[in-house]
Amino acid sequence: MFLDRERFKPAAEMRLSRDRSSIRVAITDPKLCELGEAVYAWITTGGKPVRIGTCGASAGKRLLSYPGYINRSLAGRGGATPKWEALKWLNVLTEHGMLTAVVHRPEPTPTAAGLIRPYLDVERQLIRQHRPLLNRSHR
């Protein structure tokens, strides 16, 4: 596992549809998916992160948004996910069968401005460290 299992807990699963033409996401831990100001990663069954991101509000809402963006692009209807990236998602799921979303909400840290939850800093560090295949930028 590339990410700390003590901190990052499984929250959702991504799989291909039966006809293998689109993706779907199922929430596996509804309580964890209620968290905001959190870092998430889509990982392979071997634990390798393929996408790392953050959510300001609900982790579940963010994780459940993936199929809409990717499937819209695969169907040729444009959207936030470029076609080349949507095809990479399809290839990764074909190769691995399933991806698991793991979520971590960092503890607040005291700063001069008061307590701040450093989820954006954690994301930035993890992207630099792992260089996930499906992150478009390497902040």
Side-chain angles (χ1 to χ4, degrees):
M1 175 93 165
F2 291 84
L3 300 173
D4 183 354
R5 288 182 191 217
E6 292 298 314
R7 292 192 173 110
F8 282 86
K9 301 292 184 190
E13 294 177 346
M14 183 186 289
R15 297 177 189 272
L16 288 173
S17 61
R18 282 195 186 355
D19 68 359
R20 305 180 78 68
S21 65
S22 63
I23 66 160
R24 57 190 169 92
V25 169
I27 299 297
T28 57
D29 187 333
K31 195 76 172 157
L32 193 57
C33 285
E34 291 175 9
L35 295 177
E37 296 187 340
V39 181
Y40 66 86
W42 286 104
I43 62 171
T44 65
T45 52
K48 181 177 180 180
V50 295
R51 176 72 168 245
I52 296 170
T54 62
C55 55
S58 154
K61 185 175 180 180
R62 178 69 184 110
L63 298 174
L64 288 171
S65 72
Y66 274 83
Y69 294 129
I70 296 168
N71 292 335
R72 189 174 301 118
S73 181
L74 289 172
R77 294 189 314 237
T81 302
K83 180 81 171 199
W84 62 265
E85 183 184 327
L87 291 170
K88 279 188 177 184
W89 279 103
L90 206 55
N91 288 340
V92 167
L93 284 165
T94 299
E95 181 181 345
H96 295 280
M98 176 186 81
L99 295 175
T100 301
V102 292
V103 174
H104 166 60
R105 186 179 192 204
E107 290 299 317
T109 302
T111 70
L115 285 178
I116 295 179
R117 198 174 301 276
Y119 66 104
L120 295 172
D121 295 326
V122 172
E123 175 203 32
R124 188 177 302 112
Q125 180 58 36
L126 290 172
I127 289 172
R128 280 186 192 142
Q129 181 180 350
H130 295 288
R131 302 274 185 209
L133 173 68
L134 294 168
N135 277 84
R136 280 178 251 159
S137 69
H138 293 291
R139 296 181 193 203

